[in-house]
Amino acid sequence: MTAGPPLLLAALCLVSGAAFGRRNPRLWLALTLGAMAAAFAAALLVGVGAADWEWRSSLAPGGEPVHVRLDGLSALFLALLCVVGGAAAVFSRGYWADAGHPGSAPANRMWMSLLLAAMGFVLLASNGLHFLIGWELFTVSAYFLITLEREHRAVRAAGWLYLAASHAGTLCLFAFFAALSVRTGSWDLGPLRERADLAPLFWLALFGFGVKGGMFPLHAWLPSAHANAPSHVSALMSGVAINMGLYGILRFSGWLPVPAGAGWAVIGIGAAGALLGIALAFVQTDLKRLLAYCSVENVGVILIGLGGALLGVTHGDEPWAELALAGALLHVWNHGLSKALLFFGAGSVLHATGKREMTQMGGLWRAMPWTAGLFAFGALAISGLPPLNGFVGEWLVYLGLLNAAASRGSAVWAVIPAVIVLGMAGALALATFVKAGATVFLGAPRTRAAQDARECGPLMAAPMLALAGACAAIGLAPVLFWRPLERAAGSWHPQWVDSGAPAPLAALGAAHVAMAVAGFAAAAFLWRKVRVNGVRRAPTWDCGYATPTARMQYSGGSFSGIAMGWFAGILAPERTRHRPHGPFPVRASWLERVPDTVLERVMAPAGGAVMRVSSATRRLQHGRLQFYIVYLLCGLTVVALLTWIGAGQ
Amino acid sequence: MTFILETLLRLAAWLLAAPLLPGIINKVKAWIAGRRGPPVLQLYYDLARLWGKGVVMSTLASPGFIVGPAVAWVALVGAALIMPLGGAGGALSFRGDVLLLVYLLALARFCTAWAALETGSAFEGMGAAREVSYAVLSEVALITAVLSLSVQTGNVTLTDMLALSVGSGAVLLAAGLFAVLLAENCRVPFDDPNTHLELTMIHEAMILDHSGPPLAVILHGASLKLLLFAVLLSQVVLPLGRLSPLAAAGALVGTVLGVTVAIGLVESLTARFAFRRVPLLLTAAFLLCLFALLLARKGGVG
């Protein structure tokens, strides 16, 4: 059986879901889940099997024949799209139900179907023109999903920023595909590794796809878009949509030759993004913004792995390069799964309390034990801690880079800083998620809304549970997931086909299983021991203070205060303080806000300069007819002069 | 079968030996101060007593308050089992096991900090914030040390990385790792395990609300971590791969005791730093490891 029929079925389901799902949510859910299952089956056939799937048709919409292909790399991304897409569809049924959102729920269903179909098409398209059409459809449908609640000003601003940034990237992609088709003479895409003259096009692709992929410093649109979108859309954007950008970079760095400095540039961009992304995440007070910045970090980690692989290939096919690339590819999956899980958790909290500010939450575990437990699980996974999936991916990247350092090649000077940055980002990620989980779910409720929270329904809990199960499976049995990684690495670099799982991966899996079993056993044993010895409940011992209140708890802002001091030079926090005065101070306050450095310190001033130049130019247009006639005469004179000079030569 | 027996033996050695170290440190401190001090086996008595006690739990705490210490302890035991012991190697050894060790320590940190924040107490929040923030710097130093070892030996397996001394960089690495040991185990000058002022604590502030068996597990885990770092430090310096197994074991035990006494001396002779200076000292530890790395890059395999 080939991948063709299930893909056709998936496409039909998604299109009919978009057409008929507006009125009928149940039908829509069934169609979407069917499409995701069918496409997943197709991805599995290619990802685990031996052969790629390719289909050309004589049909030529827009003058170009249809050409689609599913190889190891696109199958890996397609499978993730299906898992997260299906989970988001189920979650949105509970989270964005027709009862609560009568106006936007039908639109949500239609645009979600279109978004999933467009992203799937981008992964399959093997023709530059069709790729761009799919890309644009994907961008636009994501825009409509982000702005579902467009009655809020912040949502409109976030959507606009997203659209503007995306189109800046798309402009680059137009240039990229046009230049490619001019030099190759066709819009058809495929491996062109021996055409050394195409290497400079890599920079266009890196910029164009990097904007969409949340690559630092082009990530400026990402935090506000992910924070202001409905949570199932945030999960879809963070878990899948930014992976489309990464797919583009991976795809074309594999198909086209890369310039000499590409490895250094990618590893440098990745390291900067990993460190600053997580530093920005640590100091956020808005739960969803925190998760969004953490995506910037994870994209950085993925780019570090890709950069390592590029360095290894340019320095003569080093064996560690494949490990680094496999780590990057697995990290795409790990980040997608655990970030979607965390955004669902944040959505569940938002649903229950109506709040995104962590300082207004607290103590939610009592009302929402499932959400709390699953969020903690996701936090462990995304912090890259064993025995979960996040660690396996980071471990592969680390292993590739450490091998590179140990081999003492010329790549060592790129690898050493990258490893140190990875270590630092890992420790900061841990701090970030201890802060997020604890401020939201532990301690005492800080507000009335947090006190009255209710657990989410089964439609929202089930997708979280499924994603957590996938995270655990990758962590405990990583060898099972090697085959698709190997297939993807093989389509990135043709010499890496059938290399076999690296031996330590099995040992790591065994260690993880032993750890998980021992952890469960120890926790159960200690729990029993505590019960046998007897438990007395008492108020928290606040060092003898008799009446502790919820306001006295350590806040998230205080928690990240120490590390914020270290990064103050880059983060530049804005502080408004009113110190207490006199013996009986009436009021005192301390407000702290960390702006997005790139957006507010670089892009906004640059945009302001463009606006000033434009408005200066606009003075030429004032509505006085006599001046327009003068402009016209000047223009005609210039044209006449040019014609006269041209005729004279 | 022999593998299981060997692992059990190794486990018993780690679990039983660990609580000895804090006892020795306290004895050294008492000796310097001219006091008699608590018995060397004091921590064993404390653990036995805590294990039989009831538990007072904050009304705010979730089950994570109990689960956290248990998982942290398992993570530390796992890290100890990976750590090679002289010629005997580790219970589990594979390429890249050193990273698992570093991240198991991180898992233990996550669980301890999580359990601390369960209570909603400002003091425990303060302690957890300090712990996870300073750990960023000590983890960077630790990773740099790992890099330096793997560049020096051309290997990424812990057993092979520690078999030989790292040559000229050994002194730098030892100094850097000693500072990391002091920071990670909350000893003076980073933290004072005997302080009674909650505002200035790091680790102790995190466990203010713990009692009974969970506290016993936390204390035992802390002693295990101390032993783990002492063993790591000893093996970085000693070329144990060149010695006969018996001599290697003797040298390892001797050096671990030496490190323990050194910690006691540092605690007796220096005061705790102000918090502002803690990052500076950790950065210095990172730089020491970095110089060791550069030396390793420059020098030959040795």
Side-chain angles (χ1 to χ4, degrees), chain B residues 263-280:
Chain B
I263 298 170
L265 289 176
V266 168
E267 297 221 342
S268 311
L269 302 177
T270 57
R272 210 178 58 79
F273 276 4
F275 277 123
R276 267 177 303 120
R277 290 175 61 195
V278 168
L280 291 183

Side-chain angles (χ1 to χ4, degrees), chain A residues 366 408 533 536-538 540, chain B residues 53 55 57-59 119 121 296:
Chain A
R366 204 179 287 277
R408 293 159 161 254
N533 285 13
R536 197 158 60 78
R537 287 281 188 168
T540 296
Chain B
K53 281 201 171 206
V55 174
M57 225 167 120
S58 164
T59 42
T119 58
S121 152

Side-chain angles (χ1 to χ4, degrees), chain A residues 322 482-483 486 496-503:
Chain A
E322 190 187 359
W482 179 257
R483 176 67 189 156
E486 178 189 55
W496 290 346
V497 180
D498 294 329
S499 51

Side-chain angles (χ1 to χ4, degrees), chain A residues 116-139:
Chain A
L116 291 172
M119 290 198 290
F121 181 69
V122 165
L123 292 175
L124 295 176
S126 232
N127 179 296
L129 205 60
H130 296 159
F131 190 102
L132 280 173
I133 293 171
W135 190 262
E136 193 57 22
L137 186 62
F138 149 51
T139 305

Side-chain angles (χ1 to χ4, degrees), chain A residues 473-493:
Chain A
I474 297 182
L476 297 178
V479 182
L480 293 183
F481 296 85
W482 179 257
R483 176 67 189 156
L485 292 182
E486 178 189 55
R487 284 275 291 146
S491 41
W492 191 76
H493 192 280

Side-chain angles (χ1 to χ4, degrees), chain B residues 90-264:
Chain B
L92 183 69
S93 177
F94 54 91
R95 274 194 306 136
D97 54 358
V98 59
L99 297 164
L100 182 59
L101 186 127
V102 173
Y103 274 79
L104 281 174
L105 294 178
L107 174 62
R109 191 184 332 128
F110 186 98
C111 293
T112 326
W114 185 277
L117 291 165
E118 289 274 354
T119 58
S121 152
F123 292 109
E124 287 170 72
M126 215 179 280
R130 287 169 187 163
E131 168 97 354
V132 297
S133 302
Y134 296 145
V136 172
L137 297 178
S138 55
E139 184 145 320
V140 167
L142 195 59
I143 282 282
T144 314
V146 167
L147 259 176
S148 140
L149 285 171
S150 72
V151 168
Q152 176 74 31
T153 59
N155 238 309
V156 289
T157 314
L158 207 46
T159 316
D160 300 325
M161 284 161 72
L162 296 177
L164 302 172
S165 166
V166 289
S168 46
V171 182
L172 291 170
L173 258 193
L177 279 178
F178 188 65
V180 172
L181 178 152
L182 293 177
E184 280 281 312
N185 291 287
C186 302
R187 316 299 309 191
V188 174
F190 295 94
D191 187 12
D192 188 353
N194 295 331
T195 179
H196 56 269
L197 184 59
E198 295 87 349
L199 272 175
T200 64
M201 296 173 177
I202 300 178
H203 185 255
E204 295 295 310
M206 287 201 295
I207 59 175
L208 280 173
D209 264 270
H210 282 281
S211 53
L215 181 59
V217 166
I218 292 174
L219 290 180
H220 187 263
S223 68
L224 204 59
K225 191 171 170 188
L226 183 59
L227 181 60
L228 187 75
F229 271 92
V231 169
L232 175 69
L233 179 55
S234 312
Q235 300 196 75
V236 165
V237 185
L238 293 179
L240 291 181
R242 294 215 179 94
L243 304 178
S244 71
L246 204 64
L252 186 61
V253 171
T255 324
V256 168
L257 283 179
V259 170
T260 317
V261 172
I263 298 170

